[in-house]
Amino acid sequence: MVQHDPDVDAWFDRYDNPQKELVLSVRDVMLAADPRVGECIKWQAPTFTYRGNIASFFPKAKKHVSLMFHTGAALPDPSGILDGDGATSRSLKVFDHEDLIEKTPAIHGLVRAWIEQRSD
């Protein structure tokens, strides 16, 4: 069972988007990756944290769920689920629940890699 932050719950209570249910599912996948992962609202969006900002939702996406990994370029991505070629961030797109199920192991791997980098 994952821990939800009440401030993030309140944000979702006001969130009006056709992808809301999928965003909520991605939220639970991120939080389930490791019990040390927290969540808060930053930049007017739910953000996942552990000794820094792991990733934030882009709440205006309506055709898919978009989650930006703030320093995704520094994370190993052997499954190739992250998009982008900038120096720092990478984006994850999730198109439906089946896509989320397929990407869950890779998402957990990204979160665990973040935690490992910061747990020294």
Side-chain angles (χ1 to χ4, degrees), residues 67-80:
L67 186 64
M68 181 186 68
F69 283 78
H70 296 277
T71 59
L75 295 174
D77 181 23
S79 299

Side-chain angles (χ1 to χ4, degrees), residues 2 16 22 38 52 55 59 71 80-81 119:
V2 297
D16 182 25
L22 185 56
T71 59
I81 63 169
S119 294

